[in-house]
Amino acid sequence: MTRDFVNTIRAQFPIFAKRTDAAVYLDSAATSQKPQCVLDALLQVYSSSNGNVHRSAHRFARECTDALECARGTVAAFLNAPAPQNIIFTKGATESLNLVAQSLTSSIRAGQTILVSALEHHSNLVPWQELCTRTGAILKIIPLTSDGDLDLVELEALLDSDVAVVSVAHVSNVLGTVLPIKEIGKLVRSSSSALFVVDGAQAVAHLPVDVQDLDVDFYCFSGHKVYGPNGIGVLYGRMDILDKLPPYQFGGEMIEQVSFEHTRYNTVPYKFEAGTPDYPAAIALRSALDFLTSTGWEAILKQEQEILDLATQELSAIPDLTIYGAPHIRSGLLSFNIAGIHHFDLEVMLDRYGVAVRSGHHCAEPLVHLLGTEGTVRASFGIYTNPEDIFALSTALKKSCALLKPQHSGAA
Ligand code: PMP
C-alpha cells in the first residue's frame, strides 16, 4: 500500500478533515465523497458566472454554455466516446435507463424479449418491466452461476432474433461482481440484433471504461458515485441509434422549431435534454473526471485492489461471517452477513462505533432473495479508503459480535 498515495488523495477531500468524530465512511457505493476541486467548481459557477445555458447571448449564459459543452467533451473523452454529441446529460443512472426504456416504447413489438441479469439494481429492472407492460414484450432474467457470475451459457441459450434489448450492470452494487461486458457483447452481437445497454453506475469510479472497445450501444452512470455532484448523470449512446430514437421528455431547448400544430426536434444530444439542465453539476462533474484521470488508473486500480484484499482478509477472519459473490472478479465492495445477527442491527451497531456501512436489499431485492436472505451488510470503498478504515471495520465488527452475540467465539 502506497500510504503517500492515499494520504495525498484524502487531503483533497475536505470532509475527512472537517469531521470531528473521526467517523469512517464505507458507503461509497451509495454516494461518494467530493474532492475540493468539485466543490470549488460548483461554487465558481454559482458565484461568478451563473447564467442559463443555450438560451441567452449575454456573457453569463455564454460562459456557462461553453463550460457545459466542455464538460460534455470531458465525459466523452473519459468514456472514449466518438464525439461529445454521444453524451446526454441526465439526472443520474436511473434517469438514463428510464430515458432508453421510455424512448424505445414505439420500436418494441409484443412478443419480443428484453433480457436483464439476475443481479440488477431496481433502476435496471423496473423501467424494463414497465416497457414490457406498455408493449407486450416479455422480460427474461439471465441467471447467475452458483459462484455469483453471470451464466454465459444460459445467456447464449436465451439469445435469439426475438431479443430486442439486453441490459446488464457493469459492476453489481450488491456483490461487487464485475461482469465480462466485452464477452457478453460479443454473444449478444453474434446471436441477435438486440440493443446492448450497460449500467455503469458502480463501475466508472473503479475501472477505466472504453465504450467503443466494449462495443455497447448505451452506457450510463451517475455523477455522485464518481466523486462528482448529485443531480447529474450521463447516458452515452451510439449516434445512429440516438438519431432514430424519439425524445422522452418535451419542452424547452429540445426543439428546433415549434408552431401550435407541430414541433420539429433539436439534434442529438439536445433533443434528449428538455428543460434547464443542472449545468453547475455537469461543469463540476468535469472536475471530478479530470481529478480521476490526472490521478491515473494504474494507481487507482492498485490502491483499490489492495484495500479489497485487505478487507477480504480481515472479514474472512471473523467467525460465522459469509461474504457473498465471486471473489475473483470483485470491485469496490464487500457484502456480507454474520450468522445469528440481523443485518440492520449490525449496521446500527457499526455506526455506534463510528463506521458507516449500508444494510438491506440495496435496491436489488430479487438478487438478495436469490442469495437466500432479506438483506446484507455492505462495506463499499473509494479512492480515499485507507487500511485504518478497514481495521476500524473489523474491530467494530468484532465488538458488535461480542454485544449482539455474546457466545461468539471471536468476541473481544
Ligand atoms: N445502478 C446501480 C448498479 C446502482 O448501484 C445505482 C445506485 N445505487 C443505480 C443504478 C442508480 O443510481 P442513481 O440512484 O444515482 O440514479
Side-chain angles (χ1 to χ4, degrees), residues 109-352:
R109 294 187 317 275
Q112 283 192 302
T113 318
I114 312 284
L115 299 182
V116 300
S117 89
L119 53 66
E120 297 311 316
H121 187 280
H122 297 161
S123 59
N124 197 25
L125 172 62
V126 183
W128 302 114
Q129 285 176 340
E130 292 294 318
L131 175 65
C132 288
T133 305
R134 287 194 299 277
T135 60
I138 301 155
L139 187 72
K140 293 189 182 166
I141 307 299
I142 314 160
L144 307 181
T145 65
S146 53
D147 286 343
D149 293 342
L150 193 72
D151 193 328
L152 296 181
V153 176
E154 289 288 337
L155 168 62
E156 213 169 348
L158 285 166
L159 284 167
D160 60 30
S161 56
D162 284 334
V163 180
V165 178
V166 178
S167 189
V168 297
H170 196 167
V171 175
S172 158
N173 68 310
V174 177
L175 303 173
T177 312
V178 183
L179 269 65
I181 296 301
K182 231 173 143 167
E183 219 177 313
I184 296 169
K186 279 187 189 145
L187 288 176
V188 172
R189 302 280 183 230
S190 65
S191 321
S192 72
S193 53
L195 292 176
F196 186 32
V197 183
V198 176
D199 168 7
Q202 293 295 342
V204 284
H206 303 288
L207 39 106
V209 172
D210 180 332
V211 289
Q212 295 188 76
D213 182 52
L214 293 175
D215 191 19
V216 296
D217 295 318
F218 293 100
Y219 193 97
C220 69
F221 70 89
S222 298
H224 71 98
K225 293 188 202 276
V226 66
Y227 313 111
N230 288 43
I232 192 76
V234 165
L235 175 67
Y236 156 81
R238 243 179 54 197
M239 191 48 77
D240 54 330
I241 302 169
L242 290 177
D243 259 339
K244 286 190 220 117
L245 212 60
Y248 94 122
Q249 282 185 343
F250 304 88
E253 285 308 305
M254 54 75 63
I255 54 86
E256 190 179 280
Q257 197 260 329
V258 181
S259 68
F260 282 125
E261 293 76 31
H262 182 71
T263 294
R264 214 171 43 237
Y265 302 137
N266 207 337
T267 50
V268 176
Y270 308 110
K271 76 171 174 181
F272 296 108
E273 293 181 352
T276 301
D278 192 342
Y279 55 89
I283 294 165
L285 174 63
R286 178 184 187 206
S287 300
L289 301 184
D290 282 345
F291 161 74
L292 274 181
T293 304
S294 63
T295 302
W297 279 112
E298 202 183 323
I300 296 169
L301 288 168
K302 181 171 180 293
Q303 188 266 346
E304 292 202 0
Q305 189 58 51
E306 285 178 20
I307 286 294
L308 198 56
D309 290 345
L310 178 66
T312 308
Q313 181 189 314
E314 286 291 308
L315 265 58
S316 302
I318 294 177
D320 301 331
L321 187 148
T322 304
I323 301 176
Y324 297 99
H328 53 286
I329 44 163
R330 224 182 250 138
S331 170
L333 61 90
L334 288 178
S335 241
F336 56 93
N337 265 316
I338 296 180
I341 305 180
H342 194 274
H343 52 86
F344 182 69
D345 293 342
L346 206 45
E347 177 189 344
V348 171
M349 196 52 81
L350 289 175
D351 182 55
R352 293 236 177 112

